[in-house]
Amino acid sequence: MRVAPSELATQPIGEAAPVAEGVWQLKLPVPFPLRFVSVYLVEGEDGWTLVDAGYDYPPAREAWEAGTATVGCDLARDVERIVVTHFHPDHLGAARWLGERTGAPVCMMEREIPFVRKIWSSSDAGPFLEYLARNGMPEATAASATAVVRYALPLPEEIFPLRPGEELTMGEREVRIIHVPGHADNQIVLHDEARDILFAADHLMLGITPNIGLWPESEPHPLARYLESLERMRGLGADLVLPGHGPVFRDLDGRIGELILHHEERLEVMRREISDRPKTPYEVSRQVFRGTLTDHQRCFALTETLAHLDHLVLEGRAETTEAETVVFQTS
Ligand SMILES: [Zn+2]
């Protein structure tokens, strides 16, 4: 039996809907195939906590204005804090604007703060381009992917640190910060233990498997870290999962099982791809991720492939050699 979506939060993109006592989901548009990112508005005695900021472009700003007005949150006066779950531009992008619009502090995991300052200010895309090319991506694709994946993103002047294990008080709600590396090295989720609610960001979603990629700046072995983060969440006691994309759902342990199985299957598909001869990660990604993809999506397909090939090496099921380009083959 596959995990099913809940009956909650079926509102159109651009609108807010209640998902629990004092918690609303607002679907913000994004200008890419995911179509929307879900942010959460949590009411508290001292003001509202906003979980994630969305992608910064005019339709999302309009949805912020309209969505908060619907729930009775005055953006200029009523926001206590903004929590950003990880560095990706569909979550962090609008944080600077939202921070200025609300006057509220923007908070991220402590280790994410120097990381975002570095990654979103880097004007030197050279090493990233080389990384893609070394893994077999044709130069023209690599150049166009680099232009859309690495750019300067305006950040809040000040970002306040959150620490794993720490509890945030949101009205009568105590929400614990859990560090779950994998999709991003410093991905956090928020767990309301008393109400069994998990603000899952991009760690666990339904209908979409989070991108687990090996990027030049990634800490080693992202897939191993992701699988370990998933295992740690088993039995957490959350019967409502509020993800960053896709439908809201209830069966946390069921979805953990599905995601682990998905990666096992994908590892086996990749292993078969490199069983006849050595292949570059890009060649493998073209076989595994078929169809017409944008250069941006080709880049994510490549890093996702790399994370799996790296995991096969870690498990002793494959070997890699690096000359001008990197190749993998079964051992
Ligand atoms: Zn993300």
Side-chain angles (χ1 to χ4, degrees):
M1 257 273 282
R2 297 179 60 129
V3 173
S6 80
E7 74 291 0
L8 297 164
T10 54
Q11 80 278 19
I13 296 171
E15 293 183 14
V19 287
E21 180 78 41
V23 184
W24 279 262
Q25 183 203 67
L26 171 59
K27 283 181 183 153
L28 297 176
V30 294
F32 30 85
L34 273 176
R35 294 173 54 241
F36 68 91
V37 57
S38 297
V39 298
Y40 294 91
L41 324 175
V42 186
E43 196 173 14
E45 276 156 23
D46 303 321
W48 292 72
T49 297
L50 310 179
V51 180
D52 278 329
Y55 187 87
D56 193 20
Y57 74 137
R61 291 186 185 191
E62 283 160 28
W64 265 121
E65 299 288 350
T68 48
T70 326
V71 309
C73 165
D74 179 341
L75 266 187
R77 287 205 330 229
D78 295 344
V79 179
E80 185 187 359
R81 65 166 87 79
I82 300 156
V83 174
V84 177
T85 60
H86 65 295
F87 75 98
H88 291 155
D90 49 336
H91 297 260
L92 168 66
R96 183 185 173 108
W97 169 77
L98 195 59
E100 285 169 1
R101 178 76 181 80
T102 59
V106 174
C107 314
M108 296 188 87
M109 187 173 141
E110 200 170 26
R111 289 210 325 240
E112 193 78 325
I113 300 170
F115 181 75
V116 298
R117 297 257 178 244
K118 188 160 165 262
I119 199 146
W120 293 124
S121 67
S122 160
S123 54
D124 177 17
F128 188 71
L129 188 68
E130 273 166 40
Y131 178 80
L132 299 179
R134 199 164 66 243
N135 286 296
M137 188 179 266
E139 239 169 79
T141 314
S144 114
T146 300
V148 286
V149 174
R150 288 287 175 270
Y151 50 87
L153 181 77
L155 296 171
E157 256 161 51
E158 201 169 358
I159 305 176
F160 295 84
L162 299 172
R163 292 170 192 89
E166 188 178 5
E167 279 193 346
L168 294 179
T169 305
M170 307 179 186
E172 288 173 9
R173 198 179 288 271
E174 299 288 334
V175 174
R176 187 177 301 282
I177 295 160
I178 308 177
H179 177 210
V180 285
H183 172 68
D185 285 328
N186 301 313
Q187 170 82 66
I188 53 169
V189 295
L190 307 175
H191 185 211
D192 179 344
E193 283 159 304
R195 291 168 186 79
D196 292 340
I197 297 173
L198 183 69
F199 296 86
D202 285 1
H203 183 53
L204 282 147
M205 302 180 280
L206 189 63
I208 311 165
T209 55
N211 170 260
I212 310 301
L214 181 61
W215 300 83
E217 61 278 355
S218 298
E219 287 179 29
H221 313 314
L223 184 56
R225 288 153 57 79
Y226 180 63
L227 295 172
E228 199 261 331
S229 300
L230 279 180
E231 287 289 359
R232 261 197 295 130
M233 302 222 106
R234 275 194 205 271
L236 185 73
D239 64 15
L240 185 64
V241 183
L242 304 175
H245 306 275
V248 167
F249 60 99
R250 296 188 182 278
D251 183 2
L252 174 66
D253 285 2
R255 186 60 186 149
I256 290 171
E258 288 181 351
L259 285 165
I260 290 174
L261 188 64
H262 162 82
H263 288 290
E264 278 168 11
E265 288 170 355
R266 180 124 305 166
L267 284 164
E268 182 49 27
V269 167
M270 304 239 183
R271 196 196 62 77
R272 279 204 301 270
E273 280 299 327
I274 54 167
S275 61
D276 56 340
R277 62 176 175 86
K279 285 185 185 147
T280 68
Y282 184 72
E283 275 181 276
V284 177
S285 77
R286 294 289 313 202
Q287 289 303 316
V288 176
F289 299 88
R290 287 166 183 266
T292 314
L293 300 188
T294 63
D295 291 343
H296 182 257
Q297 290 168 319
R298 278 274 154 239
C299 181
F300 278 79
L302 173 60
T303 61
E304 176 105 21
T305 300
L306 270 165
H308 287 80
L309 294 173
D310 169 75
H311 197 76
L312 288 172
V313 173
L314 185 68
E315 288 186 328
R317 298 163 72 191
E319 287 170 356
T320 178
T321 45
E322 182 171 351
E324 200 179 317
T325 50
V326 178
V327 291
F328 286 82
Q329 68 184 116
T330 45
S331 41

